[in-house]
Amino acid sequence: MSTTAVSTPDAPAPAHTFSQGVRKGGLLQVSGQGPMDPATKTYIAPGDVHAQTLRTLENVRAILEAGGASVADVLMFRVYLTERAHFTAMNEAYGEFVSRYVPDGNLPARTTVFVGLPHEEMLVEIDALAATGE
């Protein structure tokens, strides 16, 4: 089974030594994404976890699509938040996003953990594991 790195200009380029995504067989793992606008290469919406969550999920979606998958193919999202107080706003944005991109209602699994993130501007980071059906 071969391994293929997935890359797209529609999501931020990795700042370190890892791929935006990796595909092996029928699985696609998307690396943790943050609220960076890929066009401007800047973090968006300081202090607004709702807006940051939506931008982060759009970055994940771009990598999923570049790897031949969709949001509906996601088995698991892992959400990393800097503060418990942000959970409600993140959850609302997440709900909007998955409702839009998983219309059949078969929602992916999800874990949310509270952590320190690598950039002070980041309130949220999200990664995803998808099954591409191959």
Side-chain angles (χ1 to χ4, degrees):
M1 198 176 317
S2 65
T3 301
T4 306
V6 175
S7 180
T8 178
D10 296 328
H16 303 287
T17 53
F18 57 87
S19 299
Q20 286 176 316
V22 175
R23 187 174 176 153
K24 186 166 188 156
L27 294 178
L28 171 60
Q29 175 66 56
V30 175
S31 291
Q33 297 297 303
M36 182 178 280
D37 181 321
T40 64
K41 297 178 176 50
T42 60
Y43 290 101
I44 62 117
D48 182 347
V49 75
H50 186 276
Q52 285 196 8
T53 299
L54 290 174
R55 174 73 263 168
T56 299
L57 286 165
E58 286 298 337
N59 292 341
V60 170
R61 185 173 71 87
I63 298 165
L64 287 166
E65 290 179 356
S70 71
V71 175
D73 296 319
V74 172
L75 300 172
M76 176 74 161
F77 281 109
R78 282 171 295 270
V79 178
Y80 307 91
L81 284 174
T82 57
E83 296 182 30
R84 287 182 196 278
H86 294 154
F87 183 83
T88 300
M90 176 283 297
N91 200 47
E92 181 181 294
Y94 176 90
E96 291 171 19
F97 182 86
V98 295
S99 293
R100 185 175 330 133
Y101 292 107
V102 187
D104 68 4
N106 290 314
L107 301 176
R110 186 182 90 190
T111 296
T112 303
V113 296
F114 302 97
V115 299
L117 293 173
H119 299 279
E120 188 175 328
E121 305 89 347
M122 293 175 67
L123 303 176
V124 62
E125 182 174 356
I126 301 172
D127 69 45
L129 177 64
T132 63
E134 291 185 11

